[in-house]
Amino acid sequence: MQSINLGNKESGKIWHRKPSPATRDGIIVNIIHNTSDYLPKVLRFLNVAFDSSGDSLIAGDHQGNIYVFDLYGNRFNLVQRTSQACTALAFNLHRKSEFLVALADYSIKCFDTVTRELVSWMRGHESSVFSISVHASGRYAITTSSDTAQLWDLDTFQRKRKLNILQSVGIQKVFFLPLSNTILSCFKDNSIFAWECDTLVCKYQLPAPPESSSILYKVFAVTRDGRILAAGGKSNHLHLWCLEAKQLFRIIQMPTKVRAIRHLEFLPDSFDAGSNQVLGVLSQDGIMRFVNIQTCKLLFEIGSLDEGISSSAISPHGRYIASILENGSLNIYSVQTLTKEINKPPPPLVKVIEDLPKRKVNSGDLKMKVTSGRVQRPAKSRENKIQASILKQNLTGNFENKENEFSDGLNKKRLQILLKGYGEYPTKYRMFIWRSLLQLPENHTAFSNLIDKGIHVAFLNLQKKYPIKSRKLLRVLQRTLSALAHWSAIFSDTPYLPLLAFPFVKLFQNNQLICFEVVATLLINWCQHWFEYFPNPPINILSMIENVLAFHDKELLQHFINHDITSQLYAWPLLETVFSEVLTREEWLKLFDNVFSNHPSFLLMTVVAYNICSRAPLLNCNLKDDFEFFFHHRNNLDISAVIREVYRLMDTTPADIHPDSMLDVFVALTKGQYPVFNQYPKFIADYQTQERERIRNDQLDSLRERQVVEDMQAEVDQQRAEDEGWYQTQELLRKAEETRREMLLQEEEKMIQQRQKLAAVKRELKVKEVHLQDAARRRLLQPQQDQREMELRRLDDEIERKVHMRDREIAATAKDLEMRCLELEPQKRLYEKNLSRNQEAIAKEMREDADAYKRKVDLEEHMFHRPIGTDQTQNQKTQKLIEENLAKAEQACLNTDWRIQALHKQRCDDLHRNECYQEVAKLLRKNRKKEMEVLNAVMEGEAKKWEEAEEKDFHLKSEKKAAALSDASRRWFLENETHDALENAQHPYHKVPRCQDEWVASSCLPRTSQLKDISEMESLTQISLNQRKTHWDTMEWDLMERVRNLRQRLATQARNRCQTPHLLAT
């Protein structure tokens, strides 16, 4: 038993020498998969499946590595790494290179073994998929899990149907019946339904098993023809159902050591037409037993208690069994080896009575011993001369029987009788009968030694002479011819050997050993004396054929002689091709059934019979080409008539010209080693070999000399070519140098012209750029100049407006004063009139005083609120001025930002323009500082005004306090009242109070307070007008000074801008 460790290899050979499985276990090879790490571990195989051809299988381990094993090509390849354990495999799809694998994540993937790419990914199961069944066409698949079964279309990889069931009723298995359109669904309650694949209509349901059987079905198997269903479970009973009759027809009880059945599978046979008779039963002990379901006999078993089997798969043609052991390894079994003892032919019918040695034989001492071997002669003994004399008559018959008996139990005489009755052997058993007739030894070791020598040099280019389409057939023919050439040197020089061996190679292309031994047996027995006249055709053999033809058909022979047709034309083409050119496959097989069953002279007689049966068309041929065409192409001839004619010739030919008198009887190949084949003129072969060797050596010498001469000539030619090339190269280089120099001069001239043009263009572009910059600068400065002019006009308008407002305010103030004076004059006269009237009425003094007090209070309130109103008016104007200044400052800021952005967008200007802009920016900053100072001064004035208002409020309060002192000074007031009234009457407008105390004191007087208030108001108004006039004059001068300075700067900048383009142009 050979063993292979896959390790980390992705491809390689499965076995390194030809496997020869032992009859005991039948193991071809044991495949294990261990990692090559520091601590190696076993990668257990979980699933295995065969393809439709049966020569390749696919296996996956628990880490997701999937291997393809080609048993015919002796190769394995790692086709996919899925990184997760596979739970089911299927390899018999209609696209032969694709396979399905169910993974541990409940998904099903389809991969290609050639491209190793993912073809499709199918999802839909919610539990582990444990079974994948593929339709016979390979276009549909059913995947089964514990809760559902799903039907998939493998062309589109889409789900067609889904089988949902109750949780209480689980699914055991759902699968296609072989070679039919029926789906079988098996459930855990032992119910089995059959469905139509296309319509999914229930066709039938199998009845429940008998009540006496308490088995629960868990595993199922169906024969190839789909007629018998085998079911088993946790019992040693097997139920066999007939699906046509829909009934249970047999219950098989396994041995008592079988307590549960884990797997069932039928073993296919090439000759049972699908009605498989052998069932493989894997039990709980890890042993798979194969039983015949008809005879209920145990045929053979695989596995053992130490190396139990966990799962198994059988190839479709029934040649191999792939089993996964419990230790994770994979065993490949040969079914032919396991069934060798079973397929032996039946024992012979002849029984021999043997005598007991060294004893007297009495009538009661004879015993019958039935043996299954060959017929043996009874042993002679001196004590029993009568027994010997009796057996002496049958001595010749025993020798004949011994000669006709084969080791496998067949009898040649019986086969010949069968052949004469039916004309041919059964197709089913023809190869087996041929092997028995030829007594092939099947020397595997000797044949392997011949094959190991490789392809013979005489047949390396065989495909050129014989272009065969099938590469496999060409390879087998090449190996067979090479083995024959290595066996005997004469066959390497035999030109017709490929024609002779080709029909046997085509017939036995799947078994090269049998093919070689059949051809070798043919050469030893039926090709006797063919090589005595080598390398010429066998003249002796052809003479035998001509003699027989002359005896049986002189007219035909005379016709051949008249047209100069020799036996090399009408006999040798048939012999060297063994009739394969003139017969069909069926006719050829029928002929060689008779050839192998008779004496070697039968083949020569067949040539004569073929000519005699074809005499009518041959007698009509007159040209040599017609004869050649006739013996190299198929003709309308009945092979059965030819065979009958051969038997007639064998019986009627005289012994003196009969070929069997000159040919030896059949001799089989020896066991172990093949016999030496030297039936040829060795000196001719040796001479040819020597001549061939001499010619080969001469050819080698001439080839060497020619090679040397050619090498020298090649070196001389190469040197001459190199010299010529060097001279040509130098000449070309010189010319190229001159050309390049001229081109460089031209290019330099062109470059100078281009530079001049570029300089002119640059100047033009520079001038245009200057003009564009000047135009852009002008376009940029024009808005600025317009804006400056607008600012100047706005400032002039503002100055004019302020002057006009000042004049209007002065005029309004003057008018107010005039109106006030006009108002004071009638008041004065009214006051004088009232004063004169009050002198007359003392009684009204107090009322008048009260009235004067009230008027005084009103006047004081009026005087108090008037400054406040004046202050509010002034504050509003100040605020308006501040807002205007702020707007101007904001506009200045915006203008500055706009100028800065314009400066960033333009190119870098010269230093002078930057300085000008910096001066403008400095002036703007100074203006803003001055405006801030003005604003601060205005704010200070506002604060002072508020302080003044507070002081006036304080004075008002003081005056209120002083009113309380008026009672104390009333006497002084009465004494001086007349004097004060007179002075006020004489000088009403000239006396102005100078101090605050006098104003406070006079405010307490009832009659003189009004005049004092009027005089004080006039003085305050005059002071405020003077201050305002002075302030406006100052602001006017400042504004005029700023306008003059701004105009001077703008004029300077304009002059500088006018001078800058001239400087740039120079």
Side-chain angles (χ1 to χ4, degrees):
M1 179 186 69
Q2 300 186 46
S3 180
I4 179 175
N5 185 3
L6 302 182
N8 292 332
K9 295 183 291 185
E10 295 188 358
S11 63
K13 290 186 177 182
I14 304 176
W15 51 75
H16 296 281
R17 65 180 185 276
K18 185 173 181 178
S20 55
T23 308
R24 180 179 55 84
D25 54 12
I27 299 176
I28 299 176
V29 64
N30 172 251
I31 303 172
I32 59 177
H33 190 191
N34 295 338
T35 58
S36 58
D37 300 333
Y38 177 72
L39 296 174
K41 61 180 180 179
V42 178
L43 301 182
R44 295 176 291 104
F45 287 102
L46 299 180
N47 291 279
V48 64
F50 280 92
D51 66 349
S52 57
S53 67
D55 292 329
S56 296
L57 61 94
I58 189 168
D61 58 21
H62 71 278
Q63 284 193 354
N65 300 315
I66 299 177
Y67 290 86
V68 170
F69 298 92
D70 184 2
L71 301 180
Y72 182 79
N74 187 24
R75 297 291 299 177
F76 73 88
N77 291 286
L78 175 64
V79 295
Q80 198 55 238
R81 286 191 175 96
T82 59
S83 302
Q84 51 183 325
C86 60
T87 58
L89 288 171
F91 197 24
N92 52 344
L93 281 62
H94 71 285
R95 288 182 287 269
K96 304 303 180 184
S97 62
E98 294 180 359
F99 65 91
L100 294 176
V101 54
L103 301 176
D105 61 353
Y106 313 151
S107 65
I108 303 100
K109 293 184 178 180
C110 180
F111 294 98
D112 194 298
T113 58
V114 178
T115 62
R116 302 185 182 183
E117 294 180 352
L118 176 64
V119 178
S120 181
W121 192 347
M122 298 176 285
R123 291 181 175 273
H125 284 277
E126 297 180 355
S127 59
S128 179
V129 177
F130 56 80
S131 172
I132 300 177
S133 176
V134 181
H135 190 264
S137 64
R139 298 186 179 276
Y140 302 100
I142 294 177
T143 56
T144 308
S145 60
S146 59
D147 56 350
T148 183
Q150 300 184 14
L151 176 64
W152 303 88
D153 187 348
L154 297 183
D155 288 332
T156 61
F157 295 99
Q158 298 294 324
R159 184 174 63 190
K160 294 187 65 177
R161 293 295 180 91
K162 181 179 180 182
L163 174 63
N164 294 318
I165 60 170
L166 299 175
Q167 294 181 355
S168 59
V169 182
I171 298 177
Q172 287 291 5
K173 192 174 182 181
V174 180
F175 56 95
F176 287 103
L177 289 183
L179 304 177
S180 69
N181 248 10
T182 304
I183 300 174
L184 215 62
S185 59
C186 310
F187 301 96
K188 291 183 179 180
D189 58 354
N190 282 3
S191 60
I192 300 175
F193 294 86
W195 310 83
E196 182 65 30
C197 177
D198 297 331
T199 61
L200 293 180
V201 176
C202 182
K203 299 174 65 175
Y204 57 84
Q205 178 184 0
L206 296 181
E211 297 179 356
S212 59
S213 177
S214 60
I215 181 175
L216 290 177
Y217 296 155
K218 288 186 175 297
V219 290
F220 306 88
V222 182
T223 58
R224 187 69 177 170
D225 57 3
R227 295 180 178 180
I228 298 176
L229 170 68
K234 289 187 177 180
S235 173
N236 64 344
H237 286 185
L238 281 176
H239 287 189
L240 299 180
W241 293 84
C242 179
L243 297 181
E244 290 181 344
K246 305 176 185 59
Q247 63 181 1
L248 180 69
F249 73 92
R250 184 169 297 164
I251 298 178
I252 299 176
Q253 183 177 359
M254 298 295 293
T256 55
K257 50 188 174 182
V258 176
R259 298 189 302 274
I261 298 173
R262 295 166 56 183
H263 183 68
L264 292 174
E265 190 159 1
F266 280 96
L267 180 64
D269 192 351
S270 301
F271 306 106
D272 58 7
S275 58
N276 311 133
Q277 303 297 318
V278 180
L279 177 63
V281 182
L282 178 62
S283 57
Q284 87 289 340
D285 56 0
I287 298 175
M288 193 168 187
R289 299 169 175 85
F290 289 84
V291 298
N292 191 306
I293 60 175
Q294 297 297 332
T295 62
C296 297
K297 290 184 179 180
L298 178 63
L299 304 180
F300 62 92
E301 61 184 26
I302 58 176
S304 62
L305 296 176
D306 297 332
E307 294 182 352
I309 298 174
S310 61
S311 63
S312 184
I314 302 176
S315 62
H317 51 49
R319 296 178 187 170
Y320 306 108
I321 301 174
S323 299
I324 297 177
L325 305 184
E326 293 177 351
N327 58 10
S329 64
L330 178 64
N331 276 356
I332 310 296
Y333 296 89
S334 172
V335 177
Q336 182 181 2
T337 304
L338 293 171
T339 58
K340 183 178 293 186
E341 294 295 331
I342 304 171
N343 293 333
K344 278 187 175 181
L349 299 177
V350 179
K351 308 297 180 182
V352 180
I353 300 174
E354 295 182 351
D355 189 10
L356 294 176
K358 298 180 182 180
R359 289 183 57 188
K360 288 185 178 180
V361 181
N362 298 323
S363 60
D365 294 336
L366 292 176
K367 292 184 179 180
M368 180 181 290
K369 182 178 181 182
V370 180
T371 62
S372 60
R374 296 180 179 178
V375 179
Q376 299 178 359
R377 290 180 58 193
K380 294 182 180 180
S381 63
R382 293 180 180 179
E383 292 88 357
N384 193 2
K385 294 182 179 179
I386 300 173
Q387 185 74 16
S389 63
I390 294 173
L391 295 175
K392 187 176 181 180
Q393 299 175 357
N394 296 328
L395 188 61
T396 305
N398 288 337
F399 275 117
E400 291 179 357
N401 290 336
K402 182 177 180 181
E403 186 177 302
N404 294 325
E405 289 290 335
F406 301 133
S407 60
D408 49 10
L410 296 180
N411 186 276
K412 187 174 182 180
K413 291 293 184 181
R414 293 177 178 270
L415 290 175
Q416 288 176 349
I417 295 171
L418 179 66
L419 181 62
K420 288 182 179 180
Y422 292 96
E424 61 180 337
Y425 291 127
T427 304
K428 182 177 180 180
Y429 300 105
R430 174 177 281 123
M431 299 300 107
F432 175 72
I433 294 173
W434 281 17
R435 291 166 64 179
S436 300
L437 289 172
L438 300 178
Q439 302 178 26
L440 302 181
E442 298 186 14
N443 298 328
H444 293 277
T445 304
F447 180 70
S448 299
N449 294 333
L450 294 175
I451 291 296
D452 291 341
K453 293 180 180 180
I455 304 300
H456 198 277
V457 293
F459 305 107
L460 287 175
N461 299 321
L462 184 65
Q463 67 276 9
K464 294 182 179 179
K465 189 174 182 181
Y466 301 99
I468 302 174
K469 292 183 179 180
S470 174
R471 301 292 299 174
K472 175 184 176 183
L473 194 60
L474 176 63
R475 186 167 59 252
V476 175
L477 178 62
Q478 209 171 18
R479 290 179 180 176
T480 304
L481 297 178
S482 299
L484 291 171
H486 291 309
W487 174 42
S488 180
I490 191 65
F491 297 128
S492 62
D493 300 322
T494 305
Y496 57 84
L497 186 63
L499 299 175
L500 185 142
F502 180 74
F504 298 98
V505 170
K506 193 171 183 180
L507 188 62
F508 297 100
Q509 59 181 328
N510 293 325
N511 195 333
Q512 300 179 32
L513 171 63
I514 301 299
C515 177
F516 170 80
E517 292 186 350
V518 169
V519 177
T521 305
L522 181 71
L523 291 170
I524 290 177
N525 294 279
W526 282 270
C527 298
Q528 297 180 38
H529 310 294
W530 281 26
F531 305 98
E532 293 179 358
Y533 294 91
F534 184 82
N536 299 316
I539 306 300
N540 50 350
I541 299 296
L542 298 178
S543 298
M544 295 181 194
I545 296 173
E546 188 172 355
N547 292 334
V548 176
L549 182 61
F551 178 80
H552 291 283
D553 198 339
K554 294 181 180 180
E555 182 183 359
L556 181 60
L557 179 60
Q558 188 62 39
H559 181 70
F560 287 155
I561 295 173
N562 294 336
H563 293 86
D564 196 18
I565 303 300
T566 63
S567 58
Q568 296 186 14
L569 185 59
Y570 66 81
W572 182 237
L574 301 177
L575 289 176
E576 67 179 357
T577 61
V578 287
F579 293 89
S580 60
E581 284 186 349
V582 296
L583 297 179
T584 62
R585 175 185 173 88
E586 290 75 15
E587 293 173 347
W588 187 86
L589 292 173
K590 190 175 182 180
L591 172 63
F592 270 84
D593 284 343
N594 293 271
V595 171
F596 288 151
S597 301
N598 290 278
H599 192 271
S601 61
F602 191 89
L603 183 62
L604 305 183
M605 289 297 188
T606 306
V607 176
V608 178
Y610 187 85
N611 282 272
I612 293 174
C613 293
S614 305
R615 68 188 310 274
L618 289 174
L619 291 174
N620 292 327
C621 294
N622 297 319
L623 299 177
K624 189 176 181 179
D625 294 339
D626 295 339
F627 287 101
E628 290 180 356
F629 182 85
F630 184 86
F631 288 106
H632 285 88
H633 292 81
R634 293 177 184 175
N635 302 292
N636 188 12
L637 191 64
D638 185 8
I639 192 63
S640 300
V642 175
I643 295 173
R644 288 195 298 269
E645 181 67 19
V646 173
Y647 281 110
R648 188 187 68 82
L649 296 176
M650 291 286 288
D651 295 337
T652 59
T653 302
D656 55 343
I657 62 172
H658 202 292
D660 60 358
S661 62
M662 290 168 278
L663 298 179
D664 299 332
V665 295
F666 173 80
V667 178
L669 296 176
T670 57
K671 190 75 173 177
Q673 293 293 332
Y674 296 114
V676 177
F677 185 83
N678 54 3
Q679 299 175 5
Y680 57 91
K682 194 172 184 303
F683 68 93
I684 294 178
D686 294 342
Y687 175 76
Q688 286 188 349
T689 304
Q690 293 174 3
E691 285 295 317
R692 190 182 302 107
E693 187 70 22
R694 183 183 62 78
I695 293 171
R696 190 174 66 86
N697 293 331
D698 293 342
Q699 288 179 350
L700 290 176
D701 293 338
S702 62
L703 288 175
R704 290 194 197 96
E705 293 176 358
R706 185 182 301 172
Q707 186 67 31
V708 171
V709 172
E710 289 178 356
D711 293 342
M712 294 177 64
Q713 185 66 30
E715 290 180 359
V716 171
D717 293 341
Q718 184 179 1
Q719 186 66 32
R720 185 184 299 109
E722 288 179 357
D723 294 341
E724 291 178 357
W726 186 79
Y727 288 126
Q728 291 177 1
T729 304
Q730 294 298 322
E731 184 66 22
L732 291 175
L733 288 175
R734 186 182 61 78
K735 292 180 180 180
E737 185 177 359
E738 293 178 356
T739 305
R740 292 290 187 275
R741 189 177 295 108
E742 293 176 358
M743 291 174 62
L744 287 175
L745 293 175
Q746 293 176 1
E747 291 294 331
E748 287 179 358
E749 292 178 359
K750 291 180 181 180
M751 188 68 69
I752 293 171
Q753 294 176 0
Q754 288 180 358
R755 286 179 180 174
Q756 292 176 356
K757 291 180 180 179
L758 286 175
V761 172
K762 283 183 180 179
R763 286 194 296 272
E764 292 178 359
L765 290 176
K766 193 67 177 177
V767 172
K768 289 182 180 180
E769 184 179 0
V770 171
H771 291 323
L772 289 174
Q773 289 180 355
D774 189 15
R777 189 179 298 110
R778 289 176 182 177
R779 285 196 302 271
L780 181 63
L781 293 176
Q782 185 65 32
Q784 294 179 0
Q785 187 175 358
D786 295 341
Q787 187 177 1
R788 291 298 181 185
E789 292 177 356
M790 289 177 64
E791 289 179 359
L792 290 174
R793 287 195 298 271
R794 186 175 60 79
L795 290 175
D796 293 338
D797 294 340
E798 186 68 23
I799 292 170
E800 292 178 357
R801 186 178 61 81
K802 288 181 178 180
V803 170
H804 182 64
M805 288 178 63
R806 185 191 64 181
D807 295 339
R808 288 179 62 186
E809 288 178 358
I810 292 172
T813 304
K815 289 180 179 180
D816 290 338
L817 290 175
E818 290 177 357
M819 291 299 292
R820 191 62 178 168
C821 292
L822 292 174
E823 289 176 357
L824 288 175
E825 188 65 29
Q827 287 178 2
K828 182 178 179 182
R829 287 194 297 270
L830 181 60
Y831 178 74
E832 290 175 354
K833 185 177 180 180
N834 290 333
L835 183 60
S836 62
R837 289 179 181 177
N838 286 336
Q839 290 177 359
E840 294 178 356
I842 298 173
K844 296 181 181 179
E845 183 179 359
M846 292 303 296
R847 188 173 60 250
E848 292 178 356
D849 292 334
D851 294 333
Y853 178 75
K854 289 180 181 180
R855 287 193 300 271
K856 181 178 70 73
V857 170
D858 294 333
L859 182 61
E860 286 176 355
E861 288 178 359
H862 178 71
M863 293 298 292
F864 175 75
H865 288 289
R866 184 175 179 181
I868 293 174
T870 305
D871 293 335
Q872 289 178 355
T873 303
Q874 187 66 29
N875 290 336
Q876 289 177 358
K877 293 180 180 180
T878 305
Q879 186 176 2
K880 185 176 181 181
L881 180 62
I882 292 171
E883 289 176 356
E884 291 177 355
N885 293 332
L886 287 176
K888 293 178 181 179
E890 185 176 0
Q891 184 64 33
C893 291
L894 292 175
N895 294 335
T896 305
D897 292 336
W898 178 67
R899 291 188 184 93
I900 292 171
Q901 291 177 1
L903 287 173
H904 283 296
K905 291 179 182 178
Q906 295 176 359
R907 296 179 180 179
C908 293
D909 206 349
D910 53 345
L911 182 61
H912 181 71
R913 199 172 70 188
N914 289 334
E915 292 177 357
C916 293
Y917 286 150
Q918 289 176 3
E919 290 179 1
V920 172
K922 288 179 182 180
L923 291 175
L924 290 174
R925 285 195 293 272
K926 288 180 181 180
N927 291 336
R928 283 197 294 272
K929 288 181 180 179
K930 290 180 180 180
E931 288 175 357
M932 291 301 294
E933 291 177 359
V934 172
L935 181 61
N936 292 332
V938 172
M939 295 298 291
E940 289 177 359
E942 182 181 357
K944 290 180 180 180
K945 290 293 181 179
W946 282 106
E947 290 177 0
E948 185 178 356
E950 289 177 356
E951 289 178 358
K952 288 182 179 180
D953 187 20
F954 178 73
H955 288 305
L956 181 61
K957 291 179 181 179
S958 300
E959 288 176 357
K960 289 181 180 179
K961 291 179 181 179
L965 300 176
S966 60
D967 292 337
S969 60
R970 187 177 293 111
R971 187 177 294 175
W972 178 78
F973 177 75
L974 292 173
E975 292 176 354
N976 296 324
E977 184 178 0
T978 306
H979 178 71
D980 293 330
L982 292 173
E983 287 181 355
N984 290 329
Q986 292 176 359
H987 304 286
Y989 299 105
H990 297 287
K991 188 174 182 180
V992 179
R994 297 295 180 184
C995 64
Q996 185 178 359
D997 294 335
E998 293 179 356
W999 182 79
V1000 172
S1002 63
S1003 64
C1004 297
L1005 299 178
R1007 299 186 183 274
T1008 60
S1009 60
Q1010 189 174 5
L1011 295 175
K1012 291 179 181 179
D1013 291 338
I1014 293 170
S1015 301
E1016 186 178 0
M1017 184 181 64
E1018 291 177 355
S1019 62
L1020 289 172
T1021 302
Q1022 188 67 28
I1023 291 170
S1024 116
L1025 290 173
N1026 293 331
Q1027 290 178 354
R1028 186 174 296 174
K1029 183 178 180 181
T1030 305
H1031 176 67
W1032 282 111
D1033 292 338
T1034 305
M1035 288 182 65
E1036 183 178 359
W1037 283 106
D1038 291 338
L1039 287 174
M1040 293 299 293
E1041 185 67 25
R1042 288 171 60 190
V1043 168
R1044 281 193 297 273
N1045 293 334
L1046 185 58
R1047 285 178 176 174
Q1048 291 177 359
R1049 285 196 299 272
L1050 289 175
T1052 304
Q1053 291 178 4
R1055 286 193 300 272
N1056 293 331
R1057 282 195 299 271
C1058 292
Q1059 293 175 1
T1060 301
H1062 297 288
L1063 295 173
L1064 292 174
T1066 58

